[in-house]
Amino acid sequence: MTRAEMTQDEMTRAERPAGPLLLGVRHHGPGSARAVRAALDAARPQAVLVEGPPEADALLPLAADERMRPPVALLAHAVDDPGQAAFWPLAAFSPEWIAIRWALEHGVPVRFIDLPAANSLAMTQGNGEGHEDGGAEEDEGADGEEGAEGPAARAPIDPIGVLARTAGYDDPERWWEDVVEHRTRDGEAVDPRAPFAALAEAMTALREVYGDGGHPRDAVREAHMRIQLRKAVKEFGDDIAVVCGAWHVPALGARTTLTADRALLKGLPKVKAELTWVPWSHRRLARHSGYGAGIDSPGWYGHLFDAPDRPIERWMTKVAGLMRDEDRFVSSAHVIEAVRLAETLAAMRGRPLAGLGETTDAIRAVMCEGSDVPLALVQDRLIVGEALGEVPDTAPAVPLQRDLTRQQRTLRLRPEAQERELELDLRKDNDAARSRLLHRLRILAVGWGEPAAGRASTGTFRESWRLRWEPELYVQVAEAGTWGTTMLSAATAKAGAQAASATALAEVTALAEQCLLAELPDALPVVMRALADRAALDSDVGRLADALPALARTLRYGDVRSTDTAALAGVAAGLAERICVGLPPACTGLDADGAAELRGRVDAVHTAIGLLTGAAPANPGPATDTSTETGMDADTNPGPATDTSTETGTDTGTDADTDTSTNADTSTNANANADTDTSTNANADTDTDADTGTGTGTDADTGGLRGRWTAVLHKLAARDTVAGVIRGRATRLLLDEGRLAEDDAARLMGLALSPGTPPADAAEWIEGFVGGAAGGGMLLVHDERLLGLVDAWLTGVPADRFADVLPLLRRTFSAYEAGVRRTLGELVRRGPSAGGPAATGTGAGAGAPAPGFGPGLDEARADAVEPVLRLLLGLHNDPGPDGDARSGRAVRAANVEEPLGATG
């Protein structure tokens, strides 16, 4: 047969050198990927061998599935310890992925030849970071594994860096782009094997100088590759292609004996491993630690690989589109000018084609007007990219992962690599199911979503989440799979185990709250038993105060989620009682840090008691109650009956409170301390409310707990031994709820701010009274009583002591927003009118209101505004008993009767 009669395929085979075709590549390099595809098209091998774990050979056919979309990764984890895992990530521009797809498309056998995952997992055990085969020759050659320990170990070298320095480049990436990624044919025929021959020659020279390059484990991996290569040659002959890191090419071409290679593999540790495909992301490819591949610009590499021609023009068009989507003005002229500038910069820098550095400089100058702020958006969205791969349902997965995937599809909760906010309305079935799923994942330590501060809402029917799916979450799901095969069973089992092992009371109360949020009815009894045991043994007031808020929220969630929380009510009531007894002594003898910490606990307990009194069930049964008081409040709601009470104790604090709630009938409570307790109960109860006491029956009524807490606040506000910040805060809480008369507040303020009080203590009292950025300033703006009290004290501070007080006051008022401070300054500059409401708090007579304040509520104007507010808030008019919409005045009157912390 003459040469003219030979087909192109036969000519290629005849001209190919003897032995397997070794294609040394840079992992995740688009130039290498294009070269691999061209070489395979030219060589048409009978088999393709790829660097990777051999256990994944059975998974290779899935790469041809149309639902498989890179970036993806091979995940290997130890069966007995799912947390011990490794990834082999592959992008669309990875040479290995191109080789696998080429073999599947042409019906050519394809196999992995690297060290088995069972060995590599065992060898990296205790490393802290999994092994991933996603780097380049630099890995780079070792594929991200740690170097050896001991005196013989050397710092791993960067082969690309050495070659770049040899060529006179100070940037390895720029050298690689110039000689590989930007290499063009210029219309001339080029042997597709030439680049690999040149790279192999360079790596051979490097290995002659540097040996293993500081990666001693490579000897074991390369021995296994040579053994697999011999098996393939025996089966298919020399007509095979091997795609591996260029660093390994000299070792694979070396002549060694089978006995020597087997000796290197003898005695390797081994674990039982399972492998599957999982989605990957460009963000993970860009990370240099953990499971990242260390590619700085996967989005840019993907563009270079996908662009059929004119890559710079197409890149600038992408950037312009992104800018326009973000409402930035970018025209076609900007694109043209940016392309010209990038090409000019490349010519000035002696580069064959504009690279990422030139395009980035051009984008900054032309489209971003020299600012790095919009350029950061380009870096995040395009240069790195937000791509998240997909794998088909037929890929192996642990049962828990399958259940999670099923629920994600049912609830239309798609995993996304980009962080996003999710608002849930728990009144909707689908949103409630989403909330349960996310809370169960949190119990299982799968960090897909974290609760976030959403739009302002005083109800508990809304939740806000911040979601981002990361590839390592598949490992976390595999770890959680040891607890069960479904989300419900796994979360239930883990919650029970956590309840049994928890040592702190706050941990158990937080777990109880999580169980209710995640709707784990089988786990709740176990958690409740643990909670009761811990609460009975814990006597520290601080820990009790930390535990109560979670219980209060849990009781309130029962109203929203239709969950029975009656079992928690007794535990919560017991905690609240013990806090009321132990808190006053705990507030004495504190330093500044301790006082600030305890002030936060006082606020949390106050809010919790408000929730408890609003969520606690009323005592429904009709009965007659006899209560004897011995220094403690006794409150009972026995139904339509009359209580008889005898007081033998002494009232502590000022008990001038008014308890209100929204029910059907009204009963009036009278006691020896002149308390007025107007309560509306479904059973027309007659309450007995004194200072402290015990009542027979179920003491779940709202007035008693609130009354006892009010007495505690009175004690804290009146005791000189209590830290000033706590005394001021207690006074403020009482005043806000109308349980402290203005004259009494003025008296307490006068005592706290008297000339005999050290300036530091006085300033701490002020900080507790009006300090903090959360609402303190706005209350001063809208409440002339508080503004008058503070202004009167401040103007009365002697000049010689004002300089000592000023720094402490500045710390308090600097937390206010600028607009609030400006408004307060204007109000103080105008000053209150003589006899105005502000002056009333300081002892002046009644008269005209202060400038800027109205004399009272203008109900006619409020009624005119209310329909607009309801429309803006999405509320419907509340129909009255006769079916007609109630007026704003009627609605306000009804709202006034609601107890503190009432929910609806």
Side-chain angles (χ1 to χ4, degrees), residues 265 384 476 548 703 782 789 843 875:
L265 299 176
V384 174
Q476 297 177 8
L548 184 62
H782 294 290
L789 291 172
L875 302 175

Side-chain angles (χ1 to χ4, degrees), residues 366-441:
V366 178
M367 299 186 187
C368 301
E369 299 177 350
S371 173
D372 286 335
V373 175
L375 189 64
L377 185 67
V378 177
Q379 170 72 27
D380 184 64
R381 301 280 185 87
L382 293 181
I383 297 178
V384 174
E386 300 172 341
L388 180 65
E390 296 181 10
V391 299
D393 296 337
T394 53
V398 296
L400 186 64
Q401 179 64 59
R402 293 192 180 279
D403 184 60
L404 173 59
T405 302
R406 179 187 60 80
Q407 294 193 42
Q408 287 172 335
R409 291 179 178 174
T410 302
L411 302 176
R412 300 185 297 278
L413 204 57
R414 180 185 177 89
E416 296 179 0
Q418 182 181 1
E419 184 176 287
R420 64 188 179 103
E421 296 283 344
L422 179 66
E423 293 282 345
L424 299 179
D425 186 344
L426 301 182
R427 296 169 296 185
K428 300 178 181 179
D429 292 341
N430 191 67
D431 282 3
R434 288 177 171 182
S435 174
R436 288 193 295 270
L437 174 62
L438 293 173
H439 282 292
R440 288 172 184 175
L441 287 172

Side-chain angles (χ1 to χ4, degrees), residues 108-132:
V108 174
V110 56
R111 298 173 184 174
F112 286 122
I113 62 171
D114 202 350
L115 192 67
N119 299 118
S120 61
L121 286 174
M123 294 170 69
T124 56
Q125 187 173 11
N127 236 356
E129 291 186 2
H131 160 89
E132 94 266 347

Side-chain angles (χ1 to χ4, degrees), residues 600-855:
R601 287 172 172 164
V602 169
D603 285 339
V605 171
H606 182 76
T607 303
I609 288 179
L611 295 176
L612 288 174
T613 55
N619 189 3
T624 301
D625 179 87
T626 302
S627 174
T628 302
E629 299 192 358
T630 58
M632 299 180 63
D633 283 350
D635 250 2
T636 56
N637 289 328
T642 303
D643 292 352
T644 305
S645 90
T646 304
E647 185 178 50
T648 60
T650 305
D651 184 19
T652 22
T654 305
D655 220 338
D657 55 312
T658 301
D659 279 347
T660 59
S661 64
T662 306
N663 284 306
D665 303 318
T666 304
S667 64
T668 304
N669 167 41
N671 58 36
N673 294 299
D675 294 353
T676 301
D677 190 346
T678 304
S679 176
T680 28
N681 292 294
N683 302 306
D685 301 352
T686 301
D687 293 349
T688 300
D689 186 359
D691 277 312
T692 50
T694 56
T696 61
T698 304
D699 189 16
D701 57 293
T702 65
L705 181 57
R706 186 189 296 114
R708 282 185 284 280
W709 177 245
T710 299
V712 171
L713 292 179
H714 278 297
K715 292 177 182 178
L716 296 179
R719 286 187 178 179
D720 294 338
T721 55
V722 174
V725 66
I726 298 177
R727 285 187 287 124
R729 190 58 184 164
T731 304
R732 173 62 179 277
L733 293 176
L734 291 170
L735 187 62
D736 285 348
E737 294 190 15
R739 298 179 180 246
L740 186 66
E742 293 182 16
D743 291 342
D744 292 333
R747 178 180 59 82
L748 290 174
M749 177 176 280
L751 292 174
L753 308 180
S754 63
T757 304
D761 293 344
E764 287 180 0
W765 196 96
I766 286 291
E767 181 179 2
F769 191 65
V770 294
M778 291 304 298
L779 285 173
L780 286 178
V781 170
H782 294 290
D783 195 332
E784 69 274 16
R785 299 173 305 157
L786 300 183
L787 184 61
L789 291 172
V790 175
D791 184 53
W793 168 77
L794 190 57
T795 55
V797 174
D800 58 339
R801 306 186 65 181
F802 185 78
D804 298 330
V805 176
L806 183 60
L808 301 173
L809 293 177
R810 183 175 295 165
R811 180 184 64 186
T812 300
F813 291 99
S814 63
Y816 298 162
E817 296 180 356
V820 173
R821 295 198 300 268
R822 182 172 58 254
T823 304
L824 289 175
E826 293 174 354
L827 292 174
V828 172
R829 178 175 56 83
R830 286 183 294 188
S833 299
T840 303
T842 60
F853 297 106

Side-chain angles (χ1 to χ4, degrees), residues 231-246:
K231 292 180 180 179
V233 170
K234 185 176 182 180
E235 181 178 357
F236 300 104
D238 288 341
D239 192 11
I240 59 176
V242 181
V243 179
C244 64

Side-chain angles (χ1 to χ4, degrees), residues 866-881:
E866 186 170 1
V868 179
L869 292 177
R870 286 181 169 275
L871 181 62
L872 293 174
L873 297 175
L875 302 175
H876 300 289
N877 288 333
D878 188 9

